[in-house]
Amino acid sequence: GEDVEQSLFLSVREGDSSVINCTYTDSSSTYLYWYKQEPGAGLQLLTYIFSNMDMKQDQRLTVLLNKKDKHLSLRIADTQTGDSAIYFCAEGPPGGGYNKLIFGAGTRLAVHP
Amino acid sequence: DAGVTQSPTHLIKTRGQHVTLRCSPISGHKSVSWYQQVLGQGPQFIFQYYEKEERGRGNFPDRFSARQFPNYSSELNVNALLLGDSALYLCASSLAGGETEQFFGPGTRLTVL
């Protein structure tokens, strides 16, 4: 089946690292994504990782993938108040020219001074 | 370059009415996907169109329909609106079907009273 699960809420102090976790079920997914959504806005693509990779780093963002456990994490270094948002993990697309992404319910990140 | 644009920004309708939402993809992108995001949840896939043909459909009733025009813009139509159709409707644009990167518009907030 298709399912993506995330913890719903994370609170961190400004300057600390944030780690947002996600588990997925569809082993046929080719890519795993992290999107950011600020209040009242659409989704911003942050980063993505190919399903045969273990890690990807992009400036303050580090994505770790444990394919055996179907576990994905997003680490944000030196978290700032501007990082406060909802973060969505997504899997897909399934291939064959099909664009469908399956999203988790989102993790709300609150950054406090 | 302009990103994905959607119109209108907000819309209020009553039960039983019909609604049309519009999306213009990024210039050069030929695939458009539609997602429904109910408050507090992640986006759910509704449709994908590529080269003016439907390439995928999520688990939504026939009241939901869409089309893509020769300039690759798209319309999402919902008939016989229900209270449960209240949501943020997001459009995602990509170069083609099965692409790695999909870019989302700001969404249309539909409220059904």
Side-chain angles (χ1 to χ4, degrees):
Chain A
E2 305 171 332
D3 198 13
V4 176
E5 293 190 357
Q6 302 179 236
S7 51
L8 294 182
F9 188 74
L10 177 66
S11 178
V12 298
R13 192 183 303 274
E14 191 175 13
D16 287 351
S17 292
S18 308
V19 179
I20 303 171
N21 295 301
C22 166
T23 58
Y24 63 98
T25 56
D26 189 355
S27 58
S28 66
S29 293
T30 51
Y31 290 89
L32 294 141
Y33 300 82
W34 286 102
Y35 282 86
K36 175 183 180 183
Q37 187 174 41
E38 296 183 79
L43 301 177
Q44 175 193 353
L45 177 61
L46 289 177
T47 186
Y48 57 92
I49 188 168
F50 190 49
S51 57
N52 70 353
M53 295 170 62
D54 298 324
M55 186 184 87
K56 180 179 180 181
Q57 188 157 1
D58 184 359
Q59 299 182 334
R60 291 191 300 124
L61 305 179
T62 302
V63 178
L64 295 176
L65 175 60
N66 181 329
K67 194 170 181 180
K68 174 177 169 289
D69 295 336
K70 296 190 175 67
H71 182 266
L72 182 74
S73 67
L74 174 70
R75 178 177 178 269
I76 305 172
D78 187 26
T79 312
Q80 302 298 308
T81 55
D83 295 324
S84 294
I86 301 176
Y87 290 80
F88 291 95
C89 167
E91 60 173 337
Y98 198 23
N99 273 359
K100 178 182 178 181
L101 296 179
I102 300 166
F103 287 85
T107 299
R108 182 177 295 275
L109 174 65
V111 182
H112 55 88
Chain B
D1 278 342
V4 180
T5 59
Q6 292 186 244
S7 64
T9 306
H10 296 88
L11 203 52
I12 299 175
K13 292 283 189 178
T14 56
R15 281 180 298 175
Q17 283 189 312
H18 161 270
V19 69
T20 298
L21 310 180
R22 296 175 176 83
C23 170
S24 291
I26 293 170
S27 178
H29 284 196
K30 297 181 179 180
S31 181
V32 168
S33 297
W34 287 94
Y35 289 79
Q36 181 196 63
Q37 186 180 17
V38 172
L39 195 62
Q41 297 182 18
Q44 284 205 304
F45 175 80
I46 310 176
F47 286 111
Q48 177 198 346
Y49 275 78
Y50 175 51
E51 288 286 13
K52 301 179 284 294
E53 290 186 4
E54 182 181 306
R55 295 301 181 102
R57 184 185 180 109
N59 188 23
F60 280 81
D62 291 345
R63 298 186 296 109
F64 288 76
S65 64
R67 55 180 176 167
Q68 188 175 33
F69 298 99
N71 65 354
Y72 303 107
S73 67
S74 177
E75 283 182 356
L76 174 68
N77 296 284
V78 187
N79 292 324
L81 284 167
L82 303 174
L83 296 180
D85 295 331
S86 295
L88 181 68
Y89 287 86
L90 295 163
C91 172
S93 159
S94 62
L95 279 168
E99 286 289 325
T100 306
E101 296 183 352
Q102 295 184 53
F103 299 92
F104 283 79
T108 293
R109 172 74 61 189
L110 172 65
T111 302
V112 182
L113 302 176

